[in-house]
Amino acid sequence: QLDEIAPLRTATFDVVTALHVLEHVDEPHEFMASLAEHSAGGGLVVVEVPNGASTVLRVADAYHRVRGRRWSTRVSPLHPPFHRYAHTERSLRRVIEGAGLRILELHTLSGLGRDRVRPPGRSRAEWTLRRTAARGLDLLGNREFLFVIARTAE
C-alpha cells in the first residue's frame, strides 16, 4: 500500500498509475482504494492489467493442457512475481468502482505494438513469426490487456 511509504502518507497527485501492478497485490480492493485516496479531487487513476479473458491467454492455456500441464497463464505460473488475480472487464470494473472511482474509459489493448524493435538474441525469422501470429490474434479482438482511466470525485 502507498500508505506504508512515509512521505506518501498524506500526498495526493493529479494522476496515479498502476500499470501491471494490480494483478500482483494480495488485496486489490484495498490497493485500489489507496490509489483513489492518493488521487487529488477530480484526479485520474490509470490502471492496466493482463486481460484474464483474452483470446491469447485462452490459447496459451489450451497449449499447456495439451502438453499435460495444469497451468494457467492467467495466474503466471512461469515466473515471479506471481499473478494473484486474473482480472476480466467485469472484475476490474468492480474493483475500480468499489473504490469510489468513476470509469471514463475501459478497453482492451494489444501487446502487438510494444515489440517494434527486434529484441537482442531473437532471430529475425522468430520475431517475424511471433509478430505475424500476434497480428492474427489481434484481429480476433478481446486483446491481452485491460486499460482503464478513472476519475475520483471532485
Side-chain angles (χ1 to χ4, degrees):
Q1 308 298 30
L2 294 176
D3 296 340
E4 295 172 8
I5 302 170
L8 297 180
R9 283 196 177 117
T10 59
T12 60
F13 305 91
D14 294 330
V15 179
V16 177
T17 63
L19 306 178
H20 294 270
V21 174
L22 191 61
E23 68 272 19
H24 297 279
V25 300
D26 290 323
E27 301 290 338
H29 292 278
E30 290 177 16
F31 181 78
M32 189 56 61
S34 175
L35 294 183
E37 288 172 14
H38 288 284
S39 178
L44 299 177
V45 176
V46 179
V47 176
E48 184 178 287
V49 297
N51 180 3
S54 80
T55 303
V56 172
L57 292 181
R58 283 187 273 155
V59 168
D61 283 353
Y63 168 78
H64 290 306
R65 282 192 301 277
V66 167
R67 300 281 316 256
R69 300 175 182 147
R70 294 183 54 149
W71 290 357
S72 171
T73 52
R74 292 166 178 82
V75 290
S76 189
L78 305 176
H79 53 79
F82 301 108
H83 291 178
R84 305 284 194 258
Y85 294 93
H87 294 283
T88 62
E89 282 191 38
R90 183 176 175 193
S91 70
L92 187 58
R93 186 177 296 280
R94 260 195 199 142
V95 170
I96 291 171
E97 290 175 346
L101 297 164
R102 183 172 53 91
I103 295 175
L104 304 175
E105 291 183 35
L106 190 156
H107 51 88
T108 63
L109 294 175
S110 172
L112 179 63
R114 297 174 186 212
D115 204 9
R116 294 189 191 281
V117 177
R118 182 167 45 103
R122 184 164 290 162
S123 74
R124 179 176 294 284
E126 178 190 2
W127 184 68
T128 301
L129 180 64
R130 290 176 67 114
R131 285 184 52 84
T132 302
R135 279 190 187 100
L137 287 169
D138 196 40
L139 293 174
L140 298 174
N142 197 16
R143 298 173 292 181
E144 60 266 41
F145 302 114
L146 293 170
F147 182 81
V148 176
I149 299 174
R151 183 178 300 280
T152 59
E154 294 191 42

